[in-house]
Amino acid sequence: MDSPTAHAAFDIPAFLQTERRRVEAALGRALGALLPLAPVLTRDAIRQGVTTGGKRLRPILCMAAYEALGGSPRHGIEELAVSLELIHAYSLMHDDLPCMDDAPLRRGSPTPHMVYGEPAVVLGGAALISLAHLHLWRTSGAMGLSDPVRRELLRVLARAAGAEGMVGGQALDLWGEGRSLGRQELDELHRRKTGALLTASLELGAVAALPALDHPAREAMVAYGGAIGLAFQIADDVLDATADAEALGKAPSDAALDKSTYVALLGVEGARKAAGHQVAEARAALAGAGIEAPALEALADYVVTRDR
Ligand code: GRG
């Protein structure tokens, strides 16, 4: 999908490659510390869910927000940021279960329950939720953040992952199967299911970097996150409708699951335009707060131009 605002000066492929390496290294360290705390039955499933592929977008956004707001890359933000990836990994492990989307394939590989069985994935996913929060608590302490800031970080992650956010969105998603949802209902579903954790990624970076919890730059990051969250989902629907399972590395499609999508509602071109509109809103949120962040601007474009 071409973005009218594509950022020629910023080398997004090189940036993503460097940042992914940073995230993968921190994920390896996190798993080294956390896997011994998980039941033996769940360890292989957790390892597969966390380490097999993935764009690592949520930690990358968190690190980019932190650094855009003056946080130093030397302070270990990537250790904290992988808490988001642990929650994301659990959500995909559970999302693929037979009682949810019943998906055999993700990221080009058989899903963890196909390899290790449902009990390992149900329990491993559940273990990841608390391990992610424990990891956030430990890493924010190691960064030297104050206790009020650390509590706020935990609150942001817990709210985004839970009933008000991703789990609530997933419930709306299941309820919506076989129903024809309108634009407002679809936006609400995806603000929660996909958008809440993406927004929390920006917010965690902002809270960790800023000198005050009520700093206006935090609101700008939340607005940017909300806009790219919707853009991400609209782009996902376009990819789902226009690329095949092999290219995407996942199955089944939204159509096979009888889900409402932005493409069904707006058509492919209408959905592309709507995604572009959200990207413009995301950029406006940064500009309105005077935040200069070439990486975040380029990431907003990447969200709608990615091919998987
Ligand atoms: C407790 C059973 C139970 C469920 C918990 C499963 C769940 C609630 C929520 C899942 C919601 C969900 C799957 C959200 C993610 C939506 C999404 C667009 C995922 C794909 O994200 P990418 O493209 O994935 O960033 P990669 O593979 O790059 O990591």
Side-chain angles (χ1 to χ4, degrees):
M1 208 183 300
D2 286 332
S3 160
T5 53
H7 212 266
F10 192 88
D11 188 349
I12 189 81
F15 171 80
L16 288 173
Q17 194 183 37
T18 309
E19 296 304 276
R20 265 182 212 134
R21 286 209 187 111
R22 252 175 106 186
V23 171
E24 303 284 344
L27 268 177
R29 289 188 288 274
L31 282 183
L34 297 173
L35 275 179
L37 307 176
V40 173
L41 166 77
T42 65
R43 287 183 196 162
D44 288 336
I46 291 177
R47 197 179 292 104
Q48 185 189 327
V50 172
T51 61
T52 307
K55 294 180 287 297
R56 312 307 190 192
L57 187 58
R58 292 149 189 84
I60 290 175
L61 286 166
C62 177
M63 288 146 52
Y66 178 79
E67 284 157 26
L69 297 178
S72 163
R74 290 189 306 279
H75 287 167
I77 187 66
E78 63 269 38
E79 313 298 330
L80 183 155
V82 299
S83 311
L84 291 150
E85 194 68 15
L86 299 175
I87 293 288
H88 174 58
Y90 122 76
S91 81
L92 300 184
M93 288 162 70
H94 277 190
D95 190 44
D96 292 336
L97 284 169
C99 64
M100 297 275 151
D101 281 358
D102 195 9
L105 186 72
R106 177 175 298 271
R107 298 164 167 172
S109 297
T111 44
H113 68 270
M114 302 291 287
V115 183
Y116 300 107
E118 291 177 46
V121 168
V122 170
L123 291 175
L128 272 174
I129 304 171
S130 51
L131 291 176
H133 289 86
L134 189 59
H135 188 70
L136 181 59
W137 184 252
R138 282 193 183 148
T139 52
S140 57
M143 285 178 77
L145 298 172
S146 70
D147 279 357
V149 168
R150 294 170 75 199
R151 284 196 292 273
E152 186 66 5
L153 293 169
L154 277 183
R155 195 180 73 90
V156 168
L157 185 64
R159 287 186 70 179
E164 292 166 73
M166 189 177 71
V167 170
Q170 178 77 352
L172 287 175
D173 193 39
L174 292 177
W175 173 83
E177 281 178 15
R179 287 185 162 89
S180 205
L181 304 186
R183 177 73 198 257
Q184 271 190 339
E185 289 172 308
L186 211 50
D187 283 356
E188 173 61 12
L189 189 170
H190 292 301
R191 264 198 198 100
R192 293 168 74 173
K193 182 181 146 182
T194 309
L197 197 61
L198 286 168
T199 303
S201 307
L202 281 302
E203 199 172 6
L204 290 189
V207 169
L210 291 168
L213 292 180
D214 61 354
H215 197 287
R218 175 176 175 178
E219 271 319 298
M221 285 297 175
V222 168
Y224 167 94
I228 64 151
L230 274 189
F232 181 95
Q233 185 60 50
I234 298 169
D236 227 49
D237 287 1
V238 171
L239 281 172
D240 195 88
T242 55
D244 61 22
E246 200 183 342
L248 283 183
K250 68 176 186 177
S253 67
D254 293 335
L257 292 165
D258 205 8
K259 291 192 193 235
S260 294
T261 67
Y262 287 100
V263 169
L265 203 61
L266 307 170
V268 169
E269 277 319 306
R272 286 187 169 136
K273 270 198 194 124
H277 180 73
Q278 292 300 327
V279 170
E281 287 212 350
R283 287 167 163 275
L286 298 179
I291 298 170
E292 269 192 47
L296 289 176
E297 290 182 25
L299 281 164
D301 287 332
Y302 166 73
V303 156
V304 298
T305 51
R306 69 201 163 92
D307 58 9
R308 57 170 49 217

